[in-house]
Amino acid sequence: MSFQRRVTLASAAAVAIAVVIASSVTYVVVRNALHHRVNNSLSTLATAFVHADHALSKRPAGASQPLFATASGVPYRYAELLRRFPNRPGDTTNVVQMVTGSGKIYSAFNEQSLPLSKHTLQTLAALARSGRGTTSLDATAHGEPVRLLVAGVHPGFAVVVAHPLAEVNSTLKELRLILLVLTLGGIALAALLGWFVARMTLAPVRHLTATVRHITETQDLGERIDERRRDELGSLARSFNSMVSVLDRTMHQLDESARVQRRLVADASHELRTPVTSIRTNIEILERADELPADERTRLVRDVVIQLEELSELINDLIELAREDEHIDSREEIRFDVLVSEAIDRARLHSPRANFDVALDPTVVTGVPSRLGRAVNNLLDNAVKFAGTEQPIEVRLHGGELEVRDHGPGIDAEDLPHIFDRFFRGARSRALPGSGLGLAIVRQVAELHAGSVSVAAAPGGGTVFRMRVPITT
């Protein structure tokens, strides 16, 4: 069952319960009011009869007014009181009559007597015997319901006042019909309004569903939902848009990473093809070593060794670059100045003729020593490659910024924007050994440590590289 249908049914059910309760309360209140009016009318007649009886009982009995009637056995004063009510044969409206302790009914005229059941007569006779108290009950006379009020007036006698309930029951029947129609109409109207309100309220949810379906089918993460609403649905729309934005950025990053990886694989394949082909050629020549002069064989073996070293270095660089998205889990506090000093010592061992001018401030950073060391080594190797021997390589470390400056030929202006790209080699470096990955590794390491790297032409000639790494406070 859809959510809209559930909301509609819930609204209709809630209204149905409220209407049923209201109708029931209305019916009970009206019924009690009508019965109360009947009871008040009967009580007024009974009270008038009792008061008249008291007035007659105070008059002295004379010869013309004996105590008991000879014909019916009812006291004359009661017979006189009964005769005050008009004779309406067949009419049961406000009938007044007497009942004795034996259950016998008397009225002014016998045609006016109400035919009551045996059980009802027994109840009336019991009250008449006591001659005290008042009670009301429902009975049936001439096939019609009546309300009886019985009041004791004298031991052995009670007055019975009756009023038909046909009119009251007819009114209540009409009221029940009206309330039933109103209840059913209210439920139908509530269901219609509930459907309309649910449809209007859930319109943003349907739009959200359509947007999700569209994104799923088209992979278009640029779709957004109107979030100008200030209610819960507006909050849901804003949360959904934020989620889609994060997902969009993540997908772009994944696409960019995949593109970079594909480019890395393609460039690596291209770069590996040349040394592998050269090594294979030299090995094929060495297979005929007995046909070659000794010095030629020595030269070929030396070339193969050099090419294998270059190939090993290229593979190591590729492995380092392939770790671009690897999380750094082994961070630790590092004395960056000590790490740079050790890198300079290694550079001097590999290039004894290199001259370094060093000024390092004590600096503590947080990072991975092996990867930071690799980046510093690459900067120094690049400086040694282009510095020459006349001017020293200046190495400065201050405030978390490592500056390496050489006095070489410099970098062409058109090559500066691409100097940190993978496998990029400027016009002046293509004749020198290297794979074009060293500076790309420097940038990668700096960014993984929340830092940066830049290059610029140095005043007076040469190039200056600056690598910045946040210091630990």
Side-chain angles (χ1 to χ4, degrees):
M1 183 182 295
S2 65
F3 183 67
Q4 177 176 329
R5 184 171 299 177
R6 289 199 298 269
V7 171
T8 302
L9 292 178
S11 301
V15 173
I17 294 173
V19 171
V20 168
I21 293 175
S23 299
S24 301
V25 171
T26 301
Y27 178 79
V28 171
V29 170
V30 172
R31 184 193 64 185
N32 292 342
L34 292 176
H35 286 176
H36 184 66
R37 289 180 60 185
V38 172
N39 291 339
N40 284 343
S41 176
L42 296 177
S43 179
T44 300
L45 288 174
T47 302
F49 187 94
V50 172
H51 287 173
D53 173 63
H54 289 169
L56 289 175
S57 65
K58 293 179 181 180
R59 287 167 32 181
S64 61
Q65 191 178 17
L67 181 60
F68 292 98
T70 57
S72 60
V74 68
Y76 277 110
R77 70 170 186 269
Y78 297 154
E80 182 179 346
L81 289 171
L82 290 174
R83 288 189 180 94
R84 295 183 182 183
F85 293 91
N87 179 20
R88 296 190 297 263
D91 186 3
T92 57
T93 303
N94 291 336
V95 174
V96 180
Q97 54 192 7
M98 298 294 296
V99 61
T100 66
S102 61
K104 193 171 183 179
I105 295 291
Y106 296 96
S107 61
F109 300 95
N110 292 332
E111 296 88 343
Q112 193 73 4
S113 299
L114 294 176
L116 302 175
S117 67
K118 182 178 180 180
H119 179 269
T120 302
L121 289 176
Q122 291 175 352
T123 303
L124 300 181
L127 183 61
R129 284 193 294 270
S130 66
R132 295 191 306 272
T134 302
T135 186
S136 61
L137 66 157
D138 293 333
T140 302
H142 302 296
E144 296 293 335
V146 294
R147 171 61 60 85
L148 302 179
L149 181 67
V150 186
V153 294
H154 191 274
F157 296 94
V159 63
V160 180
V161 186
H163 185 87
L165 295 178
E167 183 179 354
V168 173
N169 291 342
S170 177
T171 302
L172 292 177
K173 182 178 179 180
E174 293 178 1
L175 179 62
R176 286 195 298 270
L177 180 61
I178 293 173
L179 293 177
L180 178 62
V181 173
L182 290 178
T183 300
L184 296 179
I187 294 174
L189 181 61
L192 179 62
L193 293 178
W195 174 84
F196 178 75
V197 171
R199 182 173 179 81
M200 295 297 296
T201 303
L202 296 177
V205 178
R206 289 196 299 274
H207 184 50
L208 174 63
T209 303
T211 302
V212 173
R213 186 180 298 110
H214 173 76
I215 293 175
T216 303
E217 294 174 353
T218 64
Q219 304 279 318
D220 180 15
L221 297 177
E223 188 75 15
R224 294 295 184 273
I225 300 176
D226 184 11
E227 54 183 50
R228 290 175 295 179
R229 298 173 63 100
R230 298 304 178 192
D231 53 10
E232 290 78 2
L233 292 177
S235 177
L236 176 62
R238 287 188 290 273
S239 298
F240 177 81
N241 289 341
S242 299
M243 181 190 69
V244 173
S245 299
V246 172
L247 183 59
D248 189 20
R249 290 194 298 270
T250 302
M251 292 298 295
H252 276 92
Q253 292 173 356
L254 291 175
D255 291 342
E256 179 64 19
S257 178
R259 186 189 65 80
V260 171
Q261 293 297 332
R262 288 193 297 270
R263 179 182 173 186
L264 175 62
V265 172
D267 292 343
S269 300
H270 175 75
E271 293 294 329
L272 288 172
R273 187 177 297 113
T274 300
V276 169
T277 301
S278 178
I279 291 173
R280 179 178 179 179
T281 301
N282 288 335
I283 291 177
E284 289 176 350
I285 295 175
L286 286 175
E287 288 179 348
R288 303 192 304 273
D290 52 346
E291 301 176 4
L292 299 175
D295 57 343
E296 185 68 16
R297 290 198 302 271
T298 302
R299 186 186 65 79
L300 286 175
V301 171
R302 185 171 60 253
D303 288 345
V304 169
V305 172
I306 294 174
Q307 291 168 351
L308 287 174
E309 291 177 351
E310 292 179 353
L311 181 61
S312 177
E313 182 179 354
L314 176 59
I315 292 174
N316 289 333
D317 289 342
L318 289 174
I319 293 174
E320 186 72 23
L321 284 174
R323 300 168 62 190
E324 177 181 10
D325 296 328
E326 178 183 328
H327 295 289
I328 302 178
D329 297 327
S330 55
R331 292 176 181 264
E332 59 183 75
E333 289 189 355
I334 307 168
R335 280 289 300 274
F336 197 26
D337 56 310
V338 175
L339 186 146
V340 173
S341 178
E342 293 174 350
I344 292 174
D345 292 339
R346 286 192 296 270
R348 284 171 174 159
L349 289 176
H350 293 144
S351 302
R353 294 188 300 173
N355 184 17
F356 290 94
D357 181 8
V358 181
L360 307 176
D361 292 343
T363 305
V364 179
V365 299
T366 301
V368 182
S370 60
R371 306 197 75 174
L372 282 175
R374 180 67 180 275
V376 174
N377 289 338
N378 289 351
L379 285 177
L380 297 177
D381 290 344
N382 184 78
V384 169
K385 188 185 300 182
F386 296 99
T389 58
E390 297 180 359
Q391 296 290 336
I393 299 172
E394 300 174 6
V395 182
R396 304 287 185 267
L397 177 61
H398 178 73
E401 180 179 272
L402 174 65
E403 179 179 298
V404 179
R405 183 211 170 147
D406 63 63
H407 294 270
I411 302 173
D412 295 337
E414 60 271 16
D415 292 339
L416 281 176
H418 309 287
I419 198 67
F420 295 105
D421 293 346
R422 295 171 178 177
F423 298 105
F424 178 80
R425 303 182 71 183
R428 299 182 182 182
S429 62
R430 290 169 187 164
L432 298 175
S435 61
L437 296 177
L439 294 179
I441 293 174
V442 173
R443 181 176 64 179
Q444 173 185 295
V445 172
E447 291 177 351
L448 286 176
H449 287 77
S452 62
V453 64
S454 62
V455 61
T463 306
V464 57
F465 287 88
R466 295 182 177 91
M467 185 176 74
R468 286 169 290 276
V469 181
I471 63 175
T472 302
T473 57

